[in-house]
Amino acid sequence: MDTFAMDFTESDLARARLAALRLADEHGLRGERAADLVIVVNEAVANVVLHGGGRGRLRLWREGVSLLCEVRDSGPGLPSRYLAKPDPPVPAAPGGWGIWVIRRLADRVAITTGPGGTAVRIAMEIS
C-alpha cells in the first residue's frame, strides 16, 4: 500500500479501521502500536461522522519512519475549546474523548480547522 485514500461515511468505519491495520502490518508496526493506529483512525473518522458533516476523506501512507493518517471533512470546524483542552473529559461526559485519545496515542497530531472544514494529521513512528 503506497497511499491509501477513500471517501467515507458512517457505513465505511470498519473499512477505515481495516485499512489502518493493513498499513501497520505492511510497514512493521505491531502489537499495541498497531492497535493504537487503528484506534486513532477510528476516532478521527468517527468524529467526522458525528460532528463534521457525516462524510470525509481518509488518506494513509508511510513517510520515512512514520505512518501518517489524514482525515478531512467539510463540516463547520471545531470550537477552540476542544483544541485547547490538555486534560481528559470528565468520566461522565457523553463525548469529547476523541481528540484527547488521538493526542494520547499518536506521536504527533496537527489539527487545522475553520468554517470550511477540519483536517487532522496523525503520525505514528515505526519502532
Side-chain angles (χ1 to χ4, degrees):
M1 174 189 300
D2 291 323
T3 297
F4 174 84
M6 66 180 266
D7 294 324
F8 65 85
T9 63
E10 183 177 8
S11 65
D12 300 304
L13 288 171
R15 184 172 167 226
R17 290 188 299 267
L18 288 171
L21 185 59
R22 182 175 160 211
L23 179 76
D25 185 57
E26 287 179 3
H27 294 284
L29 195 64
R30 303 277 186 256
E32 189 173 306
R33 294 290 290 161
D36 290 347
L37 178 64
V38 172
I39 291 167
V40 299
V41 167
N42 181 74
E43 289 297 325
V45 170
N47 277 348
V48 169
V49 169
L50 292 172
H51 310 292
R55 60 184 336 102
R57 179 121 178 113
L58 167 67
R59 284 189 332 126
L60 300 166
W61 72 100
R62 179 179 180 162
E63 190 172 283
V65 296
S66 298
L67 298 183
L68 299 174
C69 163
E70 183 179 79
V71 176
R72 292 183 169 271
D73 67 48
S74 56
L78 294 171
S80 60
R81 70 182 180 274
Y82 291 116
L83 300 177
K85 281 182 77 171
D87 299 323
V90 295
W97 289 89
I99 292 171
W100 184 82
V101 167
I102 291 168
R103 286 181 168 157
R104 289 289 176 243
L105 297 180
D107 293 311
R108 290 184 314 280
V109 179
I111 301 172
T112 55
T113 189
T118 299
V120 178
R121 185 173 279 199
I122 300 160
M124 301 287 289
E125 302 297 321
I126 303 168
S127 40

